[in-house]
Amino acid sequence: MSTENEGNAVPPAPSAPPVPVASPDASPQGPAPHGSAPTAPLPPVPQDAPAASAAPGHGPAHRPGPAPDGSWPPPPVTPAYADGGAGGAGAGWAAPYQQPAPTPRSGRGGLVAAVLAAALVAGGLGGGLGYTLARNQDDHGSTTVSADSSAAQVKRAPGTIANVAAHALPSTVTIEAEGTDGEGGTGTGFVFDTQGHIVTNNHVVADAVDGGKLTATFPSGRKYDAEVVGHAQGYDVAVIKLKNAPSDLKPLPLGDSDKVAVGDETIAIGAPFGLSNTVTTGIISAKDRPVASSDGSSASKASYMSALQTDASINPGNSGGPLLNASGAVIGINSAIQSTGSGGFGTGQSGSIGLGFAIPINQAKYVAQQLIKTGKPVYARIGASVSLEESTDGAKITEQGAGGAAAVESGGPADRAGLKPGDVITKLDDHVIDSGPTLIGEIWTHKPGDKVTITYTRGSREHKVELTLGSRTGDS
């Protein structure tokens, strides 16, 4: 499935995840400790899409057509990011940054003024009447008790959405990324550790990677300059660091995305269309949803994920924001949306129709830790090029790789396991593989060195083989 990163059109999603997932034990996750960018729609997959490598080092670039260097698998479609980040406005999961429009002096403004005037008059009458009644009551020896206007806000019970939001919001930021050309967008991120690292989407900060400007603003209004520590285009994950980070940062607790079940409650926090600190709710509507997205530019590479699907309202500007469970722990990073068309708020970007996709936090955590440690992403790979044509039969190893290279890398994991051109991979461990993009997304949920079982067909016979995943460092 291809999607847009918060704002771009995304191809239609598969009717169901590649593998039916049984609901895990119903034991809820423990309560979160207190204080502890844009989404893109999925475009339809072209039938003549070129073959791409399941390993980052093999296959054409993510846009349709032959790849210039064959170093990256192209997405089946070319979705755009909704954050207006990489690729310009409307290209990512973030909303384009705009100066607020001047307040109108007529129309709705006039109506507001009229209502306000009426409220002031009614307030004056009410005040006078209240004073008269109180005086009359005092004449009869009675007293009145009024609420303390300085009392603290009412506290919400643990486990309620309001309580979860109250604890999570102070640890989220609205990110503004601006390139050297002045173009940029708005997205979201969340506090990852006490050193000032913030996790977000790659497409949210892409404009600011090469000499641009990056800022992060907390709900309290505190605003900090930031810098990109590392970014992974394939995973669509990035880490930024606040300059002169405060000492009171409270990282959001991380949950276990492997234990998420369809039907679990979700809470999304972000800045849809630039409206910072917005909280929406929903449920997990599917797991292991194959999603491929790209901003469509020649310089950008496709991202692939086996996503958590949610019906929580997610819009351009939500990209990079946390998807929380009912206990307030992060289970995913909001990254893409399915959308039927553009529209809304003068941005020309697509809006939510209840199909949002998040990068599972178990994968994002691993990527973020690698970026903080080395500044570069590390990808798992099998060393074989697979077709990206839409199919329900599996991921077929192509007869030839990109640029005339061998479809199966000599001495690579697939070669050592005995895989050959023409083989059709139908399962990776217990996960059904229905297409090339699904295979890539599943491979990238693993770490280099992991052992996986590949089920494939050759001719009319089915075979199983175990292979050890290889690795590739960096996006180039």
Side-chain angles (χ1 to χ4, degrees):
M1 167 191 297
S2 295
T3 62
E4 291 185 23
N5 290 325
E6 299 179 8
N8 294 355
V10 178
S15 59
V19 183
V21 179
S23 297
D25 293 339
S27 56
Q29 299 186 26
H34 297 315
S36 67
T39 303
L42 305 173
V45 178
Q47 296 300 318
D48 58 349
S53 169
H58 302 273
H62 70 265
R63 297 197 68 177
D69 58 7
S71 63
W72 204 269
V77 296
T78 309
Y81 292 117
D83 59 354
W93 234 153
Y97 179 71
Q98 299 176 315
Q99 291 294 332
T103 303
R105 296 182 178 275
S106 61
R108 183 179 178 184
L111 175 61
V112 171
V115 172
L116 178 59
L120 290 174
V121 172
L125 292 176
L129 180 60
Y131 171 75
T132 302
L133 290 175
R135 184 184 61 183
N136 292 339
Q137 289 174 346
D138 285 343
D139 291 341
H140 293 82
S142 62
T143 59
T144 59
V145 178
S146 59
D148 182 2
S149 60
S150 64
Q153 292 183 346
V154 177
K155 293 183 178 180
R156 303 303 182 194
T160 61
I161 294 171
N163 181 266
V164 170
H167 284 93
L169 277 168
S171 297
T172 62
V173 296
T174 298
I175 297 172
E176 291 179 10
E178 183 178 313
T180 54
D181 59 358
E183 295 293 327
T186 301
T188 308
F190 62 92
V191 177
F192 188 68
D193 59 27
T194 56
Q195 285 70 53
H197 290 111
I198 304 292
V199 172
T200 185
N201 281 142
N202 168 72
H203 69 260
V204 169
V205 303
D207 282 320
V209 168
D210 297 319
K213 181 181 179 181
L214 197 63
T215 61
T217 305
F218 286 86
S220 63
R222 292 186 300 174
K223 188 172 186 177
Y224 297 87
D225 290 330
E227 59 185 354
V228 177
V229 172
H231 61 110
Q233 295 184 43
Y235 293 124
D236 197 19
V237 173
V239 175
I240 67 175
K241 188 174 184 180
L242 305 179
K243 296 180 180 180
N244 301 314
S247 59
D248 59 349
L249 291 175
K250 296 180 179 180
L252 286 181
L254 305 183
D256 186 347
S257 51
D258 290 341
K259 294 182 179 179
V260 170
V262 172
D264 282 350
E265 291 181 310
T266 58
I267 301 168
I269 298 179
F273 296 102
L275 302 174
S276 301
N277 317 317
T278 295
V279 176
T280 56
T281 64
I283 62 168
I284 293 292
S285 47
K287 293 180 60 176
D288 303 311
R289 183 71 78 188
V291 172
S293 61
S294 166
D295 67 8
S297 69
S298 59
S300 173
K301 298 183 182 298
S303 61
Y304 294 85
M305 58 178 157
S306 184
L308 296 176
Q309 180 180 315
T310 180
D311 66 350
S313 182
I314 296 174
N315 287 286
N318 275 104
S319 279
L323 183 68
L324 309 171
N325 62 17
S327 297
V330 182
I331 54 174
I333 299 177
N334 300 317
S335 186
I337 58 170
Q338 172 83 32
S339 183
T340 57
S342 63
F345 299 91
T347 65
Q349 293 180 327
S350 302
S352 172
I353 59 170
L355 290 173
F357 305 95
I359 303 167
I361 195 59
N362 289 6
Q363 177 182 357
K365 176 183 177 181
Y366 164 73
V367 177
Q369 290 172 334
Q370 288 291 327
L371 294 177
I372 292 172
K373 183 178 180 180
T374 68
K376 296 182 178 180
V378 178
Y379 297 93
R381 60 195 296 268
I382 65 170
S385 293
V386 296
S387 172
L388 292 180
E389 292 182 0
E390 186 174 10
S391 169
T392 57
D393 298 329
K396 183 178 181 179
I397 299 179
T398 58
E399 296 298 327
Q400 191 175 51
V408 178
E409 177 188 354
S410 178
D415 185 36
R416 292 195 298 269
L419 294 174
K420 297 179 180 181
D423 290 346
V424 178
I425 298 173
T426 57
K427 278 188 180 181
L428 191 151
D429 291 332
D430 294 329
H431 292 270
V432 173
I433 302 300
D434 60 4
S435 66
T438 300
L439 176 63
I440 297 170
E442 282 298 326
I443 289 173
W444 286 1
T445 64
H446 291 76
K447 302 178 180 63
D450 283 355
K451 294 183 183 297
V452 297
T453 299
I454 298 290
T455 302
Y456 66 97
T457 58
R458 179 178 296 169
S460 59
R461 298 186 61 184
E462 183 176 271
H463 306 269
K464 284 189 178 182
V465 65
E466 184 180 81
L467 63 75
T468 302
L469 296 173
S471 67
R472 171 167 182 155
T473 300
D475 283 321
S476 59

Short mmCIF file of all heavy atoms in Angstrom, two decimals, residues 12 85 92 95 98 137 159 216 328 393-394 418 440 451 472:
data_model
loop_
_atom_site.label_atom_id
_atom_site.label_comp_id
_atom_site.label_asym_id
_atom_site.label_seq_id
_atom_site.Cartn_x
_atom_site.Cartn_y
_atom_site.Cartn_z
N PRO A 12 -4.98 3.32 -2.96
CA PRO A 12 -5.91 2.57 -2.13
C PRO A 12 -5.19 1.52 -1.33
O PRO A 12 -4.28 0.86 -1.81
CB PRO A 12 -6.85 1.93 -3.15
CG PRO A 12 -6.20 2.10 -4.47
CD PRO A 12 -5.21 3.19 -4.37
N GLY A 85 6.74 19.32 4.06
CA GLY A 85 8.17 19.28 4.34
C GLY A 85 8.92 18.98 3.07
O GLY A 85 8.90 19.70 2.11
N GLY A 92 4.29 16.54 2.36
CA GLY A 92 4.56 15.68 3.49
C GLY A 92 3.46 15.66 4.50
O GLY A 92 2.38 16.15 4.27
N ALA A 95 1.76 20.48 7.80
CA ALA A 95 1.04 21.51 7.09
C ALA A 95 2.00 22.62 6.70
O ALA A 95 2.88 22.97 7.45
CB ALA A 95 -0.06 22.07 7.99
N GLN A 98 2.33 29.01 7.36
CA GLN A 98 1.74 30.23 6.84
C GLN A 98 1.61 31.25 7.96
O GLN A 98 1.38 30.90 9.11
CB GLN A 98 0.35 29.96 6.26
CG GLN A 98 0.34 28.97 5.09
CD GLN A 98 -1.08 28.70 4.66
OE1 GLN A 98 -1.96 28.49 5.48
NE2 GLN A 98 -1.32 28.71 3.36
N GLN A 137 -31.32 38.75 50.91
CA GLN A 137 -31.13 37.56 51.73
C GLN A 137 -30.39 37.90 53.01
O GLN A 137 -30.67 37.36 54.07
CB GLN A 137 -30.35 36.50 50.93
CG GLN A 137 -31.19 35.88 49.80
CD GLN A 137 -30.35 34.95 48.95
OE1 GLN A 137 -29.13 34.98 49.05
NE2 GLN A 137 -31.02 34.15 48.13
N GLY A 159 -6.29 7.12 33.47
CA GLY A 159 -6.86 6.27 32.44
C GLY A 159 -7.84 6.97 31.52
O GLY A 159 -8.16 6.44 30.46
N ALA A 216 11.54 24.00 17.55
CA ALA A 216 10.57 23.14 18.23
C ALA A 216 9.91 23.94 19.33
O ALA A 216 10.59 24.55 20.17
CB ALA A 216 11.27 21.92 18.82
N GLY A 328 -1.20 5.89 27.90
CA GLY A 328 -0.35 7.05 27.65
C GLY A 328 1.04 6.70 27.15
O GLY A 328 1.90 7.58 27.06
N ASP A 393 -0.19 -12.71 -5.05
CA ASP A 393 0.46 -14.02 -5.10
C ASP A 393 1.77 -14.06 -4.32
O ASP A 393 2.26 -15.14 -3.99
CB ASP A 393 0.74 -14.41 -6.56
CG ASP A 393 -0.55 -14.54 -7.36
OD1 ASP A 393 -1.57 -14.93 -6.76
OD2 ASP A 393 -0.53 -14.26 -8.57
N GLY A 394 2.38 -12.91 -4.06
CA GLY A 394 3.65 -12.88 -3.35
C GLY A 394 4.61 -11.90 -3.98
O GLY A 394 4.25 -11.11 -4.86
N GLY A 418 19.88 -20.08 -1.40
CA GLY A 418 19.46 -20.83 -2.58
C GLY A 418 18.34 -20.22 -3.37
O GLY A 418 17.79 -20.86 -4.28
N ILE A 440 9.33 -5.84 1.59
CA ILE A 440 10.30 -4.84 2.03
C ILE A 440 9.92 -4.31 3.41
O ILE A 440 10.77 -4.20 4.31
CB ILE A 440 10.37 -3.67 1.03
CG1 ILE A 440 10.86 -4.17 -0.32
CG2 ILE A 440 11.31 -2.58 1.55
CD1 ILE A 440 10.75 -3.15 -1.43
N LYS A 451 17.58 -14.04 12.07
CA LYS A 451 17.30 -15.20 11.24
C LYS A 451 15.80 -15.25 10.97
O LYS A 451 15.00 -15.13 11.88
CB LYS A 451 17.74 -16.49 11.95
CG LYS A 451 19.26 -16.60 12.13
CD LYS A 451 19.64 -17.92 12.77
CE LYS A 451 21.14 -18.00 13.01
NZ LYS A 451 21.91 -17.95 11.75
N ARG A 472 22.77 -2.84 5.55
CA ARG A 472 23.28 -1.72 4.76
C ARG A 472 23.18 -0.48 5.62
O ARG A 472 22.16 -0.24 6.27
CB ARG A 472 22.47 -1.53 3.48
CG ARG A 472 22.87 -0.22 2.78
CD ARG A 472 22.36 -0.12 1.38
NE ARG A 472 22.83 1.12 0.78
CZ ARG A 472 22.96 1.29 -0.51
NH1 ARG A 472 22.67 0.32 -1.35
NH2 ARG A 472 23.39 2.44 -0.99
#
